[in-house]
Structures are given as structure tokens and as C-alpha cells.
Amino acid sequence: MTTAMLELQDVHTYYGNIHALKGISLTVNQGEIVTLIGSNGAGKSTTLRTISGINSPRTGHILFNGTRIDRLPAHEIVRQGILQSPEGRRIFPRLTVLENLEMGAFTRNNAVTMKEDLERVYTLFPRLRERIAQKGGTLSGGEQQMLAIGRALMGRPTVLLLDEPSMGLAPVLVEQIFTIIQDINKQGTTILLVEQNALMALAVAHRGYVLQTGLIVLSDSAAALQSNETVQKAYLGME
């Protein structure tokens, strides 16, 4: 039996009195791309924020390689190997591309491996190599998304949390970003993907969960979810 790399067990998260996650349980196994789909306000981003320690669950457990992490501060969760590319990119606009990428490696002190990872990021995102000395805030939306993912990769994630990587991007760039997500996964990084574009998310994922108002209402292989009539009508724009 496969032991889950990342596991949420009956997680309840609140914003003040607002009950955002109402008992989320999910697993992500090594080497998978798992996607969370659902409408706005379903709890997708809150799930990622709870995993990464930005929000603390009021009850429930989060395990990483069998060890509880739900009481660790966010920077310790980064050190464990869980890194997030946040919704809205959140790059440092006044820092250069290179400085933004270096910020992603703040927990590391090995110059040799950092150089290797910079090269990996530039190979995945050649545009960033061309923009190395440019301020982050002057990049296009697509370039900022590449930078946000690249910054997360600089921390050498075991699990990469991607929050809405296609948001606001032109269709041709969306396809490019999702191809790169698959490449990152093939290189050995496990991915938990939150994505409004359910069609693209299910096309690249191995498995998926459907969230609705803080609850998981459906989970299956990505292929099965793609052919599920309810999913097709609610999230894939099919009648």
C-alpha cells in the first residue's frame, strides 16, 4: 500500500467565525499531479494556504511523509520541502528577476546547488534568462507567472503547491504554462494544483478532487472526472 506523501485528515479551517474548510480529507502520492477544482469561494486557495502554514487548521491533521506539520510555522514547512506559487503571483516588483529567484532559495546556503537550480529554472523558462536584470514589476503577466513558479522551484520543493497558475493569461500562454507544469512533474516534483480552468487541470492531472463550499463532494481519477456528467456541466462548460 502506497503511503501518501501529503495527507489532510478532516481539516477544518476558519477565517474568524467563517467556516472555510469543513472537514477536508485528501491525499497526494509521490510523483502525482493532483488537482483541486471548484468555483470561486469553494475553499481551494484556503486548502493550499492551510497546507503551507499561512492559515492554521482549527481541527484536523496535515501529514507530510507521515509526520504532522499542521502546527509548524510557514517557514518550517518550506524547509520541509513544501513550497507554494501563490494566487496572484506575489512577486517582488522592485527586485530583479534574479533577485526574485534568489529569494526563493532563502532557506539554502549551497551556492553550487543554487546555481544548478537557477539553470534548471532558466531552461524551463528561457524568457526569464532574457529578463534576468529586469525589475519583476515590469514583466508581463505571463512572465510574472513564470517567475512565481521559478521562485518556488528555487527552494527545491518535494511538493509544489500551484495556486491558479493560468489566471489572467492568454490562451497560448496557458498551454505553455501547463506543458511546463508537466515537465516539472516529470523531473520528479509532486504537484498539488488549484486551477479555475478545470479542463486544462484535468488534462494534466492524475487525480482530482472537486470542492464545493469547503467540502470535497467528488474525487476520482482525472480521466473519470473529465467524463463525469456533473463535472462536465458545472466546471467544463459542457451541456
Side-chain angles (χ1 to χ4, degrees), residues 17-129:
N17 292 322
I18 298 167
H19 197 175
L21 299 184
K22 303 168 185 174
I24 297 284
S25 295
L26 62 84
T27 58
V28 182
N29 298 316
Q30 184 170 358
E32 284 190 308
I33 299 177
V34 174
T35 188
L36 305 180
I37 62 173
S39 55
N40 282 333
K44 304 186 302 296
S45 292
T46 301
T47 301
L48 295 195
R49 289 168 62 88
T50 303
I51 293 166
S52 58
I54 299 166
N55 297 110
S56 293
R58 193 171 293 182
T59 59
H61 297 165
I62 301 173
L63 289 88
F64 181 51
N65 291 325
T67 302
R68 278 187 69 179
I69 60 166
D70 49 87
R71 291 295 175 258
L72 293 178
H75 66 276
E76 284 298 333
I77 292 172
V78 167
R79 288 182 196 278
Q80 297 278 327
I82 300 174
L83 286 95
Q84 182 167 351
S85 175
E87 182 182 2
R89 295 143 201 167
R90 303 287 180 91
I91 59 151
F92 299 102
R94 296 184 181 182
L95 299 184
T96 66
V97 165
L98 178 58
E99 288 166 341
N100 267 277
L101 292 173
E102 288 173 342
M103 287 295 287
F106 79 99
T107 59
R108 300 169 54 194
N109 54 18
N110 186 323
V112 175
T113 57
M114 278 176 60
K115 195 171 179 184
E116 289 170 3
D117 288 341
L118 265 177
E119 194 52 43
R120 177 193 181 201
V121 169
Y122 292 147
T123 302
L124 284 166
F125 303 108
R127 193 78 59 84
L128 295 183
R129 193 194 299 272

Side-chain angles (χ1 to χ4, degrees), residues 137-179:
T138 66
L139 300 176
S140 70
E143 289 164 350
Q144 288 189 14
Q145 186 60 66
M146 293 172 190
L147 183 55
I149 297 172
R151 181 181 59 188
L153 290 175
M154 286 300 295
R156 285 213 165 176
T158 308
V159 176
L160 178 61
L161 308 178
L162 293 176
D163 197 351
E164 302 287 4
S166 80
M167 184 182 280
L169 300 186
V172 64
L173 271 177
V174 171
E175 289 199 14
Q176 189 180 343
I177 289 289
F178 275 97
T179 299

